[in-house]
Amino acid sequence: MSTRLLPRITPRRRPNPNHPPVTPALAAALARVLAARATDPTWPRSLAALLPPPLSDARLAAAVSSLTDPDLALPLISWSQSHAHRLHHDASTTPLAHSALLRLLARARRFDAAEAALQSMPPAATPTRASLGELAAAYADAGMEWKATEMCARARELHGALPEARHSNRLLRLLVERRRWEDARKLYEEMLAEEGGADNYSTCVMVRGMCLEGRVEEGIRLIEARWGAGCIPHVVFYNVLIDGYCRRGDIGRALLLLGDMDIKGFLPTVVTYSVLINWLGRKGDLEKIRSLLGEMRVRRLSPNVQIYNTVADSLCKCQSASQAMSVLKQMFASGCDPDIVTFNTLISAFCREGNVRQAVKLLREAIRRELEPNQFSYTPLIHGFCIRGEVMVASDLLVEMMGRGHTPDVVTFGALIHGLVVAGQVSEALIVQEKMAERQVMPDANIYNVLISGLCKKRMLPAAKNLVVEMIEQNVHPDKFVYTTLIDGFIRSENLGDARKIFEFMEEKGVFPDVVGYNAMIKGYCKFGMMNEAILCMSSMRRAGCIPDEFTYTTLIDGYAKQGNISAALRFTCDMIKRRCSPNVVTYSSLICGYCKIGDTDNAENLFANMQSEGLFPNVVHYTILIGGLFKKDKVFQAAEYFERMLLNHCSPNDVTLHYLVNGLTNCMPSIMNSKYSKTHKKSALVDVFKGLISDGLDPSISAYNAIIFSLCRHNMLEKALDLKEKMANKGYSPDPVTFLSLLYGFCSVRKPRDWRSVLPNKFQQVELEIICRHGTLFDQHVDESVSCEVSKVLQLYVEEFQSIQQPEVFASS
């Protein structure tokens, strides 16, 4: 349109010579005069010169609005009133100026001053609808919904209408956020009743509220009802509905809605995909995330940093931190700058995996990119290094974090304390707790729990009790975990009296024990043989509504078994099964131990067989108990059979097993020498080798060790055999040529015949070589032919080397 025609159809607004505009220069001059009023007594005359009479309400309002500081606007209005009074002008009708002041105070969140201004306004100076609306919006933004509601009510009372939609929407949004649905619906309906009172944003806020409650279909109906009636369809509505379905866990419907957008002609935005990917990330659905990222590429939509962060987090949780690093590389390649959340996600993941070195590299890279690390950057690293025992590195990181202006909070200190306790450095953890107090950061229940647990494990029980007292003084109420930890700690330290006192104190404080607490106390009674008290405690447990579990029954069964009261132990086993509580491996070990204690090895063996038929695999404890019990009854061949079976099942013997074997073989030596294999007992390498060595006049104890070492070697347990050789030497039994022969069979069994030099001495005497060769024939009967041949080759090589060394010595002597 021609600029010449435009003035003909749009009348020009001529400036009123009586009301010149408040220019920036005039506003600055007014601010200077008002700011200097404390030191310049002529300031009222200066203002009169800048704002000459007659000063209208509109002119004064413009002057007030030009000032950004409400503290300058208040004296300006006060001056205008006194100035008007001296000139005999009416200063009572200044609603625009007072309304401008209210707007300034609202923007500055000076609510007390705003209330005072409202109260002091002359009756004729009614605040404008816009000023009340701005004040209502400011109250809503500050979370003061009751004051915001009051301002809306005042606007309706004075002007017959609510504040404009842009102001009323702020209160509507707050009511929805606070879940005050009835108040929100009432306000929305009032807005709808007024012309232009509700807009797209108002409806979107209501729909979002419904979606937060899972009432997505109701939100859809509201949109459909409003379309064409002051509500224009928009992609934001779809984004809100998609988020609503996702919140409800119905991602399938959300994806259908995404497809519906295309049909209706709405193009999905990055926000649309971000919402879906965020919720798919929480479910760990990486396949669907990849599909949506593919759609985005087709639509030429570039993922934003939030989408990349979601993908990285999902990869960290579902796969590994190393694979999540590929997301960081994609961000660099696409030109999307990672933020500190990206780096924090990866740092945390690498720390969880124990790769703190890579996590530190990421922290340094974030700093190099001028991103500001925060507590979420440092806390996983501090915890990770503490767990590795690198406390100094963790401390340096804490100092670095504080140097960057981040005050450690209870989470950071908690990570440091937890890491120190895990690393076994409980004293250092207590020092950190003291530092917390110095910084006015009070430990929470979790930190106290970790410290008390660490102190109990270290048997530092007085310090643990002091911490409980401190907790109570700091109004941090100890929970069941704290009391149970203390009870268990005292029981482990064989202090049943204090354990009982804490148990009673716990109930006095209204903290009622759970199954774990009762089990700890029952364990204590059983440990001290106080079975009647244990039964009474179990009865109290039932009265309190706690159902005894496998641990409860197994503890009682073990207590009776250790006393040799098998009938009581079996009675509780039957009760356990009746109550659909299946016996576990610990239950069987207790019963087997009980039978062995009273010398009934037949029933012990039957239980061992029954245990396997129930699908429970015996461990080193079961084998050890049976082996010890059978040796005590002089049942050498049965004991040897269980040892062979143990090795065949790849169950490595412990120190107790080895002790039983050495003592059993030496103590049962007479019966071994006089016995012969029966039809019911297979030939045992352990007994056969031991008998052969004793027959040759070798030391019984050393022979027992050698027989065990050979048995371990023939079952490919070379490392265990080498450990036993060291233990044998530590007990004062020097390894002999047969020891080295046994180990040679071990090296050949694991296909490492060349490593024999690491255990064989440089030379043997002629007599020792004869012993080796003589017993090689005995050992060959219990190994594969291939192993036997390999041993024979090594021995032949060793003998040849020995002879080559001996020959020069013979010539030299002649």
Side-chain angles (χ1 to χ4, degrees):
M1 185 178 290
S2 171
T3 54
R4 293 180 181 179
L5 292 174
L6 191 61
R8 296 181 182 179
I9 59 174
T10 308
R12 286 183 180 176
R13 291 183 179 176
R14 299 178 185 274
N16 188 338
N18 296 321
H19 304 290
V22 177
T23 62
L26 177 57
L30 287 170
R32 279 196 302 274
V33 170
L34 290 164
R37 67 187 184 279
T39 56
D40 181 8
T42 63
W43 69 273
R45 287 200 300 273
S46 301
L47 278 182
L50 292 169
L51 298 171
L55 185 59
S56 67
D57 185 21
R59 176 73 167 158
L60 180 58
V64 170
S65 297
S66 71
L67 300 170
T68 56
D69 186 354
D71 287 332
L72 301 180
L74 283 165
L76 176 59
I77 290 179
S78 179
W79 166 83
S80 71
Q81 290 174 334
S82 62
H83 188 61
H85 182 72
R86 283 198 304 273
L87 296 175
H88 305 290
H89 293 161
D90 186 6
S92 63
T93 56
T94 54
L96 296 179
H98 278 85
S99 297
L101 175 62
L102 285 176
R103 286 198 297 273
L104 277 182
L105 291 168
R107 289 166 193 166
R109 303 284 181 92
R110 298 275 296 279
F111 297 126
D112 289 342
E115 284 294 321
L118 274 172
Q119 295 296 327
S120 63
M121 284 179 74
T126 304
T128 61
R129 179 187 176 207
S131 65
L132 291 171
E134 196 143 350
L135 195 52
Y139 276 126
D141 291 344
M144 302 164 69
E145 71 265 25
W146 67 95
K147 293 299 295 182
T149 304
E150 184 185 313
M151 289 303 113
C152 287
R154 184 174 288 197
R156 193 189 303 106
E157 179 188 341
L158 295 175
H159 301 283
L162 288 168
E164 296 174 26
R166 62 193 177 94
H167 293 141
S168 298
N169 283 341
R170 309 262 271 279
L171 173 58
L172 183 67
R173 183 182 64 191
L174 178 63
L175 292 171
V176 167
E177 286 173 359
R178 296 276 172 90
R179 305 294 198 270
R180 292 182 54 178
W181 304 119
E182 291 304 318
D183 293 336
R185 184 172 290 280
K186 182 181 175 184
L187 177 60
Y188 180 66
E189 288 173 354
E190 287 177 1
M191 291 172 71
L192 286 177
E194 297 177 2
E195 187 177 350
D199 56 12
N200 260 23
Y201 186 82
S202 315
T203 304
C204 196
V205 168
M206 289 301 295
V207 172
R208 179 158 183 76
M210 293 168 182
C211 290
L212 288 172
E213 288 286 287
R215 297 179 290 145
V216 187
E217 289 77 11
E218 194 175 335
I220 292 172
R221 287 195 294 273
L222 178 60
I223 294 170
E224 290 171 349
R226 289 289 298 144
W227 276 3
C231 180
I232 303 167
H234 197 273
V235 68
V236 175
F237 285 113
Y238 276 100
N239 292 345
V240 171
L241 293 171
I242 286 170
D243 182 63
Y245 276 126
C246 290
R247 281 178 186 278
R248 206 169 71 179
D250 197 346
I251 295 180
R253 287 251 185 121
L255 291 168
L256 288 173
L257 206 55
L258 176 66
D260 191 45
M261 288 179 75
D262 270 339
I263 298 169
K264 297 283 178 66
F266 292 99
L267 294 176
T269 64
V270 173
V271 175
T272 316
Y273 285 103
S274 181
V275 168
L276 281 163
I277 289 170
N278 174 52
W279 287 98
L280 287 166
R282 295 187 188 192
K283 288 186 67 177
D285 193 342
L286 290 170
E287 194 60 40
K288 195 61 190 173
I289 287 173
R290 290 190 187 98
S291 173
L292 288 177
L293 289 172
E295 274 188 38
M296 288 186 73
R297 280 194 295 272
V298 171
R299 294 181 184 275
R300 297 186 179 181
L301 291 173
S302 300
N304 57 21
V305 68
Q306 286 78 23
I307 290 176
Y308 278 120
N309 287 347
T310 299
V311 177
D313 185 58
S314 301
L315 284 168
C316 288
K317 288 174 181 173
C318 301
Q319 295 182 5
S320 69
S322 300
Q323 287 179 297
M325 281 291 287
S326 62
V327 176
L328 192 61
K329 293 174 184 175
Q330 285 176 26
M331 293 179 79
F332 293 150
S334 65
C336 179
D337 292 325
D339 60 10
I340 196 61
V341 175
T342 318
F343 284 98
N344 287 353
T345 301
L346 293 168
I347 287 168
S348 181
F350 276 112
C351 286
R352 280 197 304 272
E353 293 177 7
N355 191 351
V356 288
R357 303 296 173 197
Q358 180 60 39
V360 169
K361 286 180 184 176
L362 285 164
L363 176 67
R364 301 300 165 219
E365 177 64 18
I367 293 169
R368 191 185 71 78
R369 290 180 168 272
E370 298 183 351
L371 294 171
E372 183 58 40
N374 52 34
Q375 288 163 318
F376 299 105
S377 315
Y378 287 100
T379 299
L381 282 165
I382 290 166
H383 187 250
F385 276 109
C386 281
I387 288 176
R388 289 169 60 91
E390 299 182 49
V391 182
M392 289 307 297
V393 180
S395 301
D396 290 343
L397 285 166
L398 183 64
V399 172
E400 180 184 325
M401 173 183 161
M402 290 188 290
R404 289 186 169 274
H406 298 292
T407 303
D409 60 5
V410 70
V411 177
T412 311
F413 278 120
L416 184 58
I417 287 169
H418 182 263
L420 288 167
V421 170
V422 169
Q425 301 185 39
V426 183
S427 298
E428 289 80 357
L430 288 170
I431 293 169
V432 173
Q433 187 219 351
E434 291 174 7
K435 297 292 183 187
M436 285 182 73
E438 289 174 11
R439 292 180 170 272
Q440 303 298 312
V441 180
M442 298 313 299
D444 60 8
N446 290 329
I447 289 177
Y448 278 115
N449 288 351
V450 168
L451 284 169
I452 290 167
S453 176
L455 288 166
C456 287
K457 285 176 183 175
K458 290 280 187 180
R459 306 292 173 91
M460 298 166 69
L461 295 168
K465 279 175 74 175
N466 291 339
L467 271 185
V468 173
V469 174
E470 183 184 313
M471 280 183 83
I472 295 167
E473 288 174 353
Q474 296 294 336
N475 204 28
V476 180
H477 301 291
D479 57 13
K480 288 179 280 192
F481 176 84
V482 172
Y483 287 116
T484 303
T485 303
L486 266 177
I487 291 165
D488 186 64
F490 278 114
I491 287 167
R492 287 176 187 275
S493 299
E494 300 190 354
N495 187 346
L496 183 63
D498 277 344
R500 184 185 282 179
K501 284 177 186 175
I502 291 166
F503 191 80
E504 291 167 357
F505 179 76
M506 176 182 181
E507 292 181 321
E508 285 172 16
K509 288 291 180 182
V511 181
F512 299 103
D514 57 6
V515 176
V516 179
Y518 277 109
N519 283 346
M521 205 63 232
I522 290 168
K523 176 185 170 185
Y525 286 128
C526 291
K527 186 175 182 178
F528 287 88
M530 300 166 67
M531 299 309 297
N532 290 335
E533 284 82 353
I535 299 301
L536 288 172
C537 191
M538 187 182 186
S539 301
S540 299
M541 179 181 182
R542 283 194 173 120
R543 283 197 301 272
C546 294
I547 301 170
D549 59 7
E550 289 176 10
F551 186 90
T552 319
Y553 282 106
T554 299
T555 303
L556 288 165
I557 291 163
D558 185 62
Y560 279 117
K562 281 177 179 172
Q563 290 184 346
N565 191 346
I566 291 297
S567 58
L570 289 172
R571 190 168 64 250
F572 274 98
T573 304
C574 293
D575 189 40
M576 180 181 186
I577 296 166
K578 260 187 217 176
R579 295 181 184 274
R580 297 184 179 180
C581 221
S582 301
N584 54 28
V585 289
V586 181
T587 317
Y588 277 103
S589 65
S590 298
L591 288 168
I592 291 167
C593 184
Y595 274 118
C596 288
K597 191 176 184 71
I598 61 173
D600 188 352
T601 54
D602 291 338
N603 270 319
E605 288 187 80
N606 290 338
L607 268 176
F608 188 89
N610 186 56
M611 172 186 175
Q612 291 174 292
S613 67
E614 293 290 331
L616 296 172
F617 297 100
N619 56 34
V620 63
V621 176
H622 303 95
Y623 284 112
T624 300
I625 293 168
L626 260 181
I627 289 168
L630 290 165
F631 270 126
K632 280 181 185 176
K633 296 291 289 182
D634 215 17
K635 295 182 177 181
V636 180
F637 293 109
Q638 290 99 313
E641 276 181 27
Y642 278 104
F643 181 58
E644 291 288 339
R645 200 186 304 179
M646 178 182 183
L647 300 183
L648 278 169
N649 289 326
H650 308 289
C651 182
S652 183
N654 59 23
D655 289 344
V656 180
T657 322
L658 299 171
H659 172 76
Y660 281 160
L661 287 166
V662 172
N663 284 359
L665 289 170
T666 51
N667 292 337
C668 298
M669 190 173 65
S671 60
I672 291 172
M673 298 304 296
N674 297 325
S675 62
K676 293 182 180 179
Y677 287 104
S678 65
K679 292 180 181 179
T680 57
H681 297 118
K682 297 178 183 177
K683 193 173 184 181
S684 165
L686 179 73
V687 177
D688 195 39
V689 168
F690 178 73
K691 187 175 181 179
L693 296 176
I694 295 298
S695 300
D696 207 28
L698 299 177
D699 181 89
S701 295
I702 295 176
S703 297
Y705 274 109
N706 286 338
I708 298 166
I709 289 170
F710 174 72
S711 295
L712 291 168
C713 286
R714 68 187 286 267
H715 286 285
N716 300 331
M717 292 187 179
L718 178 61
E719 291 300 323
K720 192 71 183 176
L722 289 168
D723 288 342
L724 184 56
K725 186 199 84 162
E726 296 301 321
K727 287 174 183 173
M728 172 184 173
N730 292 336
K731 287 183 178 291
Y733 302 109
S734 299
D736 64 2
V738 179
T739 313
F740 295 111
L741 176 65
S742 302
L743 290 170
L744 179 58
Y745 275 89
F747 280 111
C748 293
S749 295
V750 297
R751 305 290 188 267
K752 292 182 179 179
R754 295 180 182 178
D755 293 347
W756 60 270
R757 292 184 187 276
S758 63
V759 293
L760 289 176
N762 292 330
K763 60 180 181 178
F764 283 118
Q765 298 299 320
Q766 183 66 43
V767 177
E768 292 173 329
L769 275 173
E770 289 173 3
I771 292 171
I772 289 172
C773 294
R774 187 164 63 248
H775 290 99
T777 307
L778 171 64
F779 287 7
D780 284 346
Q781 298 173 26
H782 300 283
V783 296
D784 291 340
E785 188 177 347
S786 59
V787 175
S788 176
C789 291
E790 200 65 51
V791 171
S792 179
K793 287 178 188 176
V794 173
L795 286 175
Q796 183 65 36
L797 178 64
Y798 190 84
V799 169
E800 288 173 2
E801 287 183 4
F802 175 77
Q803 289 173 347
S804 66
I805 292 168
Q806 292 292 318
Q807 279 182 343
E809 292 179 359
V810 173
F811 290 131
S813 61
S814 62

